[in-house]
Amino acid sequence: MKSRTKIKSKVAVAFLENFPKAYNNYTLKHVSKQPGVPEANLTKPLAECKVALLSTAGVHLKTDIPFDLDIQDHTIRIVPGKAQEEELTVTHMYYDTKFAKKDTTIVFPIQQLKELEQSGVIGSVSDIHIGLYGGIMETEQVEKESIPKVVELFKNKDIDVALLVPG
Amino acid sequence: MITLLPEVTEKVGVPRTLHVPFKLGRPCGEPFDFETRKKVINQLLELAAKPAGTRMEYIE
């Protein structure tokens, strides 16, 4: 990470921790208003559903290429369902990652999903999950490339439920 | 979707949101608080079965 990015990250984290309301208003300004909501509803019981996680908290495998914080990195990371908690980490600059690095389940609760699969609450945990870096102001590439890729992956894997977790 | 900033997710048009009272960067609670983690996931799954447009508040 470039030193300029490091300073930017420290300022952003201090800003959100000390002025959460102002941070919310700042974020709100960068979001375009979308009309309506997508009408996708579950057609079968949860006990028969395949469930996947999608996190924008910058989650990825430790062995994977981290998100590049010096650019608006819109690329996706695939997290295998068999990944263990200790194999995961986070790369992000707009929230304090020290907590998520101690315990990644606070942004990526895959272990809890596996327990629910064991107890039969959900049908199964997907064998792929998605990590994204949500610290992006220009969303064009995310909408053009990343989202269609994720939708295709999830459709090919017959995912019934995607749980979205921010950072 | 879990939301920490409900005004933002409302504007984006997310079909279902669970508003949690936690800090940014900790959407499923504090590190190693697995009881809270379970509650969040259970409430998210409960939300998934509800119609598009549902807004839920996290229940302790």
Side-chain angles (χ1 to χ4, degrees):
Chain A
M1 202 196 312
K2 287 180 186 162
S3 54
R4 201 174 146 210
T5 309
K6 270 186 193 166
I7 295 166
K8 207 171 154 190
S9 170
K10 282 197 172 153
V11 170
V13 170
F15 178 50
L16 84 88
E17 283 184 354
N18 293 298
F19 308 101
K21 212 174 162 187
Y23 182 84
N24 190 7
N25 289 337
Y26 172 77
T27 311
L28 206 50
K29 273 188 202 159
H30 287 278
V31 173
S32 314
K33 170 78 183 154
Q34 300 292 322
V37 291
E39 273 295 333
N41 293 302
L42 268 191
T43 53
K44 54 184 172 183
L46 276 171
E48 293 171 20
C49 288
K50 192 192 273 189
V51 182
L53 285 175
L54 187 155
S55 166
T56 52
V59 177
H60 58 87
L61 285 169
K62 283 177 182 167
T63 52
D64 215 337
I65 301 167
F67 292 97
D68 185 348
L69 303 184
D70 296 320
I71 58 163
Q72 301 260 314
D73 192 349
H74 67 281
T75 56
I76 67 170
R77 301 289 180 276
I78 293 173
V79 179
K82 62 179 186 206
Q84 297 298 309
E85 205 262 319
E86 60 273 13
E87 294 175 85
L88 300 173
T89 189
V90 293
T91 303
H92 206 292
M93 66 182 275
Y94 290 121
Y95 73 89
D96 191 342
T97 54
K98 73 173 178 244
F99 303 96
K101 278 181 175 159
K102 270 188 213 161
D103 174 9
T104 54
T105 70
I106 72 171
V107 289
F108 202 77
I110 195 166
Q111 302 306 327
Q112 286 73 29
L113 266 188
K114 286 176 187 170
E115 287 165 25
L116 292 173
E117 178 186 40
Q118 291 291 315
S119 59
V121 173
I122 59 170
S124 60
V125 177
S126 169
D127 55 5
I128 60 155
H129 306 267
I130 303 293
L132 283 157
Y133 167 58
I136 286 178
M137 298 298 166
E138 301 299 329
T139 56
E140 199 185 334
Q141 295 303 315
V142 182
E143 289 173 38
K144 266 193 192 164
E145 284 180 22
S146 317
I147 296 174
K149 237 182 235 175
V150 172
V151 169
E152 196 191 340
L153 277 168
F154 279 3
K155 276 189 177 162
N156 288 342
K157 291 284 180 181
D158 295 319
I159 306 296
D160 301 299
V161 176
L163 302 180
L164 276 58
V165 185
Chain B
M1 175 178 175
I2 294 176
T3 182
L4 293 149
L5 306 172
E7 295 106 316
V8 175
T9 36
E10 187 61 40
K11 208 170 158 190
V12 177
V14 178
R16 296 166 188 80
T17 53
L18 173 68
H19 178 211
V20 295
F22 312 125
K23 290 185 176 165
L24 282 170
R26 285 166 263 179
C28 301
E30 295 296 320
F32 312 111
D33 178 3
F34 300 121
E35 284 310 305
T36 298
R37 208 86 73 246
K38 278 181 197 163
K39 283 184 197 167
V40 172
I41 288 293
N42 282 325
Q43 291 176 39
L44 259 187
L45 289 168
E46 186 193 325
L47 175 68
K50 293 192 184 293
T54 303
R55 306 280 172 247
M56 276 173 51
E57 287 290 327
Y58 172 75
I59 301 163
E60 195 62 48

